[in-house]
Amino acid sequence: MMEEMKVQRGWFDEVMVPCYSPMEMIPVKGEGSRVWDQECNEYIDFAGGIAVSCLGHCHPAMVAALTEQGQKLWHLSNVMTNEPALRLAKKLTDLCFADKVFFANSGAEANEAALKLARRYSADVYGAEKSEIIAFKQGFHGRTFFTVTVGGQEAYSDGFGPKPGDITHLPYNDVEALRQHVSGRTCAIMMEPLQGEGGIIEPSDEFIQAVREVCQQHNALLIFDEVQTGNGRTGHFYAYQGLGITPDILSTAKSLGGGFPIGAMLTTNKLAEHLKVGTHGSTYGGNPLACAVAEAVVDVVSQPETLAGVAEREALFRQGLAKINDKYAIFSEIRGKGLLLGAALNEQWQGRARDVLVAAGEQGLMVLVAGPNVVRFTPSLVISHQDIAQGLEKLEKAIASLAQ
Ligand SMILES: *Cc1c(COP(=O)(O)O)cnc(C)c1O
């Protein structure tokens, strides 16, 4: 057999569309919250593939589900139904407000389904004029043209020609602006129950209550984008369960598959009936292999011990980051919830989140950023206390090297 050529970072620039700029090292293996690159350097993973690998890498329950289903049946079209999809749908509807599930393959697709359902429902029930989507500045909902336009960063949606219409962006957490703008024409309000990509911004209680209230008043639907916050990330199975209100539509992806691509749009019977046969669909949506893996993930994540463990680990992160800050005075605040945490850089460190990410990588630690001024942590929900301690030591070394 011909020996395979060793893959090099340079190939990326040769054969990949340049919409990403990946780091130099090439990870080839992972186990739990440890990752190894081609050169056998070891890393502790505080990034979790951007809030995806919620049970770390190659969790035995996921490997077992993948292998078992992989030897049975990989794919069917939606002309057929399949066991893993129905089992997963039952479990998801048991775990939250929803009665009905639509399976997709990503967060953007789950959001696309949510937005299309909202528009369809409003048009059917109230007429074509009720089409306005209200969303929030700095929000992120994916990269299809509809979802990226609903997202609150024009830099991401500009330059692709005419945009989907009737979308309004208001400032997050601004109750006054919301009350003044919302009207009978509002079809839906779409929001993250904690903004992730936008910089780890928590909603105020007042804002959350006001959003639910104005939706009620104006017959508008509340869509929670829980692609990043969902599946245990905040210590609740879905973040809304810790906020005292219930959305009408919820989208979930990222940690749902724990590393296998899957997304889902969850909603009530009353809304779901408006997506009649032929109104929406997806070739891979509900794929048996994806659903079997997601079922294994949901089984572990929904256990009370797993969810309680998230708050425990959050406390360890907060303590460790506070200690680093005592020494180096680099953060203005630590924000977020559960294991969706952001360390905001203070005045002297503005714009240097990526420097921290690169320096951490050199120490053998994977972290993320959320914009230029926030270092983000979205590790496995079951990361060991020891890995947290060692990762924080590496972070401290990285910051010490930058502080010199
Ligand atoms: C990541 C993310 C998305 C997009 O998910 P994809 O799987 O990349 O399409 C949408 N919404 C939120 C809140 C996200 O964090």
Side-chain angles (χ1 to χ4, degrees):
M1 271 229 286
M2 225 174 76
E3 218 186 308
E4 273 184 61
M5 250 200 296
K6 190 180 168 189
V7 176
Q8 291 162 31
R9 170 62 177 79
W11 292 14
F12 185 95
D13 303 322
E14 219 176 287
V15 296
M16 298 290 282
V17 165
C19 64
Y20 306 114
S21 169
M23 306 188 69
E24 286 297 322
M25 59 102 153
I26 301 184
V28 291
K29 186 176 154 52
E31 191 183 322
S33 287
R34 306 255 164 173
V35 172
W36 294 270
D37 70 13
Q38 281 179 333
E39 270 66 57
C40 300
N41 297 310
E42 187 178 80
Y43 299 82
I44 291 178
D45 187 1
F46 279 2
I50 317 190
V52 166
S53 309
C54 58
L55 297 178
H57 300 276
C58 299
H59 188 284
M62 294 172 66
V63 173
L66 181 76
T67 330
E68 198 193 318
Q69 189 62 40
Q71 286 163 353
K72 274 197 204 154
L73 182 68
W74 287 32
H75 186 72
L76 287 170
S77 73
N78 281 306
V79 172
M80 308 287 165
T81 183
N82 73 76
E83 292 180 358
L86 294 190
R87 275 203 305 265
L88 177 60
K90 277 240 185 257
K91 286 185 176 169
L92 289 175
T93 53
D94 282 348
L95 283 164
C96 73
F97 75 95
D99 311 307
K100 290 285 196 314
V101 180
F102 173 83
F103 285 119
N105 313 290
S106 67
E109 283 176 69
N111 283 332
E112 186 83 20
L115 290 163
K116 284 179 72 178
L117 170 60
R119 282 271 179 87
R120 177 62 71 120
Y121 172 81
S122 280
D124 283 354
V125 176
Y126 303 106
E129 306 71 45
K130 193 173 172 68
S131 61
E132 184 195 36
I133 307 288
I134 294 180
F136 299 97
K137 294 186 176 146
Q138 305 310 127
F140 184 79
H141 302 296
R143 299 285 196 155
T144 65
F145 205 17
F146 197 175
T147 58
V148 81
T149 307
V150 172
Q153 285 210 55
E154 284 180 359
Y156 292 163
S157 56
D158 284 348
F160 298 102
K163 296 181 186 186
D166 213 4
I167 298 163
T168 304
H169 294 104
L170 300 176
Y172 197 73
N173 273 336
D174 188 335
V175 174
E176 224 20 68
L178 178 67
R179 285 194 196 283
Q180 279 185 10
H181 185 85
V182 70
S183 77
R185 277 201 60 258
T186 306
C187 155
I189 298 183
M190 183 176 226
M191 64 181 287
E192 297 160 85
L194 189 166
Q195 287 191 329
E197 302 301 310
I200 315 292
I201 314 293
E202 291 170 77
S204 67
D205 285 345
E206 194 199 357
F207 182 61
I208 286 287
Q209 296 303 326
V211 170
R212 184 64 274 185
E213 192 191 308
V214 300
C215 282
Q216 224 68 24
Q217 278 168 0
H218 296 279
N219 293 320
L221 299 171
L222 179 54
I223 306 172
F224 263 22
D225 177 348
E226 293 233 26
V227 171
Q228 191 152 167
T229 55
N231 298 91
R233 184 61 47 192
T234 67
H236 299 273
F237 192 75
Y238 285 117
Y240 85 84
Q241 290 161 329
L243 295 174
I245 63 154
T246 303
D248 301 295
I249 303 173
L250 184 154
S251 58
T252 173
K254 291 201 165 100
S255 283
L256 176 60
F260 202 101
I262 183 170
M265 185 271 287
L266 308 176
T267 189
T268 59
N269 282 325
K270 182 177 140 195
L271 299 185
E273 63 180 45
H274 292 265
L275 285 187
K276 292 188 175 47
V277 173
T279 52
H280 196 51
S282 160
T283 296
Y284 267 117
N287 172 270
L289 207 46
C291 291
V293 174
E295 187 191 355
V297 173
V298 168
D299 282 345
V300 178
V301 170
S302 62
Q303 284 168 18
E305 312 85 76
T306 311
L307 296 174
V310 172
E312 221 172 80
R313 288 164 175 80
E314 174 185 4
L316 294 176
F317 266 92
R318 285 184 178 275
Q319 284 157 22
L321 292 169
K323 257 175 70 187
I324 291 173
N325 208 28
D326 285 345
K327 244 170 146 172
Y328 297 96
I330 169 171
F331 308 128
S332 59
E333 67 173 330
I334 308 301
R335 56 198 193 215
K337 186 135 190 253
L339 291 172
L340 177 49
L341 294 170
L345 298 175
N346 66 20
E347 263 328 296
Q348 293 82 354
W349 287 77
Q350 285 301 285
R352 297 196 66 189
R354 195 170 162 87
D355 294 349
V356 175
L357 179 148
V358 171
E362 281 161 8
Q363 297 296 331
L365 175 70
M366 294 158 71
V367 301
L368 294 169
V369 302
N373 302 316
V374 177
V375 182
R376 176 170 38 159
F377 308 97
T378 53
S380 157
L381 306 182
V382 295
I383 185 172
S384 72
H385 293 195
Q386 193 198 354
D387 285 351
I388 295 175
Q390 288 185 14
L392 287 167
E393 275 172 30
K394 289 172 185 288
L395 181 67
E396 176 165 349
K397 283 192 192 139
I399 288 168
S401 74
L402 290 173
Q404 268 171 9

